[in-house]
Amino acid sequence: MINISINMPDQPLLIGKVGKSYGILGWTSISSFTEEPQKIFDYLPWFFFKEGQWTKIQIQNWKKHKNNFIVHIKGISDRSIIRNFTNADIMISKRTLPILKKNNYYWNDIINYKVFDINKNYLGIVIDLIRTKNNDILVVENKFNISKKNILIPFIENKIIKNVNTNNKFILVQWN
């Protein structure tokens, strides 16, 4: 019998992805989407989400493996069972994140923020963030431009990103 309970997280937040099974004893590889990859293990419990199904899991053990991690889930000791979770999203309840100080925010908090240039022209809304080696990039959905292409704005605080207003949910940028 597998010791897995079925529930759904409160305010689900994506933090990683399940890869393929590893070995024959029920281990699986995972990819972390957290800023510091190992911090994924600070945010427990995990919920696997695949094909509309939620499964709450408990990590029994984990190890660093190449550029990712391998994990062993409590109650699973067979490769054929863990294989069912390949490509599942790893989700947590948003409330498990540490509470931030005033005017600080998590990346997922600024999705759907409105973006204005310093002349108060509306540019669009934040639909994604891209991590790059040098700096992160805001992806802004451009609803007014004829080309309909997204606007990519480097997230360089004080130089390009002038203000992130968490109370009114907008971002002010130095952008033409």
Side-chain angles (χ1 to χ4, degrees), residues 114-124 140 151 153 160-163 170-176:
K114 293 179 180 177
V115 180
F116 297 90
D117 68 16
I118 58 171
N119 297 320
K120 299 183 182 169
N121 295 314
Y122 178 67
L123 301 176
V140 178
I151 303 169
I153 302 174
I160 295 175
I161 305 297
K162 296 299 186 180
N163 183 20
F170 73 84
I171 300 173
L172 189 63
V173 298
Q174 173 78 47
W175 197 252
N176 296 16

Side-chain angles (χ1 to χ4, degrees), residues 1-5 24-27 48 55-61 71-85:
M1 174 154 221
I2 299 172
N3 185 13
I4 296 176
S5 62
I24 61 170
L25 299 176
W27 288 73
F48 287 170
T55 307
K56 183 177 181 179
I57 60 100
Q58 291 180 346
I59 303 295
Q60 184 170 328
N61 200 354
V71 297
H72 188 252
I73 297 171
K74 185 176 181 178
I76 296 180
S77 58
D78 186 317
R79 174 187 190 99
S80 62
I81 296 171
I82 197 63
R83 191 179 293 147
N84 294 323
F85 294 109

Side-chain angles (χ1 to χ4, degrees), residues 6 10 21 40 105 110 140:
I6 309 265
D10 181 39
S21 57
I40 193 171
Y105 48 87
I110 62 175
V140 178

